[in-house]
Amino acid sequence: MRFGLDDDDDDAREELPALKARTCRTWKHDTRQARQRSIIGGSISIIMNGHCNGKASDVAVEQFHSSNAFPELSVKKAAHRNLQEGSRKEEEDQCRLPSMEAAYASILRELGEDVDRHGLLRTPLRAAKAMQFFTKGYHETVDDVLNDAIFDEGHDEMVIVKDIDMFSLCEHHLVPFFGKVHIGYIPNKKVVGLSKLARIVEIYSRRLQVQERLTKQIAVGLSEALKPRGVAVVIEAAHMCMVMRGVQKMNSRTVTSSMLGAYRDDPKTREEFLSLTQN
């Protein structure tokens, strides 16, 4: 903005800085209000109407809440974002199905099968959907399943949930391994809903895995979420890659363990856990 003044207008020249400052403040105030209205309006429109890839909606939700236009809605921010994230992942899975179905059909053809015969007409699609279910843990995190189910509690003795059923896929041969998971932890003034321990197992087992890594991921995931004094995880599983192929040993079992905190540092604590899970 320019201000045209005569050279001999001394009074007006003296008022010029104050006039500029007032004009600048007014312009900034109007700009902030317009930007806030734009964010709120655009965010509501995107949130209500959705977006083809979901990413724009996430940005809009973040802007909408950060604008503090409606503070009473900010408490619903995490739940809304999780809902959007779940919808986006479902859309991604649907988008990947055709290519996965075609890949399974190609495998069947290479095996010498007729993919047009009645029994195999929908097999490629079923196999693709099954594989997505077997690996759905890639789309989940510990925070997703805990869902604030961590409670203040004075209990400081060992908590154990044992014989949790586990199914996973060996990443070397894409065949199953399955068995039982035993989890123990020593609370540090906080406890978690017991069913959440089984859900943490589900997150990491529904991925392409090796048992050693799976055991450690469960232990570390619980430790980071709960900050307990110690975490212990033991898995006993049968691997179909050793039963259906290779050495074909029907009765073999693999046992792995991960000990953190007090379970690693204190032999008596570790021994107590192992004794309770074996009986």
Side-chain angles (χ1 to χ4, degrees):
M1 181 180 293
R2 299 189 60 186
F3 300 85
L5 298 173
D6 295 334
D7 293 339
D8 56 353
D9 196 343
D10 295 336
D11 293 337
R13 190 180 302 280
E14 291 177 359
E15 294 178 359
L16 181 58
L19 178 60
K20 286 184 177 181
R22 287 196 301 273
T23 303
C24 184
R25 285 196 299 270
T26 301
W27 178 80
K28 289 181 177 179
H29 176 74
D30 292 344
T31 300
R32 280 197 300 269
Q33 285 191 329
R35 181 175 178 274
Q36 188 177 48
R37 286 194 298 269
S38 175
I39 291 174
I40 296 172
S43 300
I44 291 177
S45 176
I46 294 175
I47 293 169
M48 296 300 292
N49 296 327
H51 194 280
C52 60
N53 60 14
K55 294 180 181 178
S57 296
D58 293 340
V59 173
V61 172
E62 191 69 30
Q63 290 177 332
F64 177 70
H65 287 290
S66 64
S67 69
N68 292 322
F70 300 100
E72 67 274 11
L73 297 180
S74 62
V75 295
K76 299 180 181 179
K77 176 180 177 181
H80 184 79
R81 184 167 58 238
N82 288 343
L83 181 61
Q84 282 192 318
E85 187 71 8
S87 298
R88 182 179 65 82
K89 290 166 183 174
E90 289 179 3
E91 290 176 1
E92 289 179 353
D93 280 349
Q94 287 296 321
C95 290
R96 293 190 178 106
L97 267 180
S99 59
M100 293 178 66
E101 181 182 1
Y104 276 109
S106 177
I107 291 173
L108 290 173
R109 291 192 192 96
E110 293 302 319
L111 292 174
E113 278 288 358
D114 177 9
V115 295
D116 294 323
R117 70 179 176 87
H118 183 71
L120 292 179
L121 283 178
R122 293 179 56 81
T123 296
L125 178 60
R126 293 190 191 100
K129 288 182 176 180
M131 182 58 73
Q132 287 184 337
F133 178 79
F134 295 153
T135 59
K136 67 185 181 73
Y138 287 122
H139 295 324
E140 298 173 332
T141 67
V142 173
D143 290 338
D144 292 336
V145 301
L146 288 184
N147 196 25
D148 297 326
I150 297 177
F151 310 101
D152 294 328
E153 187 61 52
H155 186 76
D156 59 359
E157 298 293 334
M158 194 178 304
V159 178
I160 296 175
V161 178
K162 65 179 186 176
D163 294 330
I164 301 171
D165 291 321
M166 177 277 299
F167 302 88
S168 191
L169 285 180
C170 167
E171 68 180 25
H172 300 144
H173 302 98
L174 300 185
V175 294
F177 67 94
F178 58 92
K180 303 288 186 180
V181 181
H182 313 305
I183 299 177
Y185 74 95
I186 302 175
N188 185 16
K189 307 302 182 184
K190 292 183 181 296
V191 298
V192 65
L194 296 179
S195 67
K196 302 304 182 181
L197 299 179
R199 293 189 182 277
I200 291 175
V201 172
E202 190 78 358
I203 288 174
Y204 293 113
S205 63
R206 295 299 185 183
R207 304 178 182 186
L208 301 183
Q209 279 286 12
V210 295
Q211 185 174 327
E212 297 87 341
R213 182 172 67 238
L214 172 60
T215 309
K216 185 172 183 178
Q217 285 179 333
I218 295 171
V220 172
L222 178 60
S223 180
E224 291 179 348
L226 200 56
K227 303 294 189 294
R229 291 165 52 200
V231 175
V233 177
V234 171
I235 298 179
E236 180 177 349
H239 291 248
M240 292 298 99
C241 58
M242 290 182 61
V243 175
M244 298 173 64
R245 57 162 300 281
V247 295
Q248 301 181 52
K249 300 304 180 184
M250 298 291 294
N251 298 313
S252 64
R253 296 291 185 272
T254 301
V255 179
T256 52
S257 69
S258 179
M259 305 289 171
L260 304 178
Y263 290 101
R264 175 182 286 272
D265 299 335
D266 186 352
K268 291 185 177 179
T269 301
R270 181 167 61 251
E271 182 180 351
E272 179 185 356
F273 169 77
L274 294 174
S275 175
L276 291 172
T277 54
Q278 291 172 3
N279 294 333

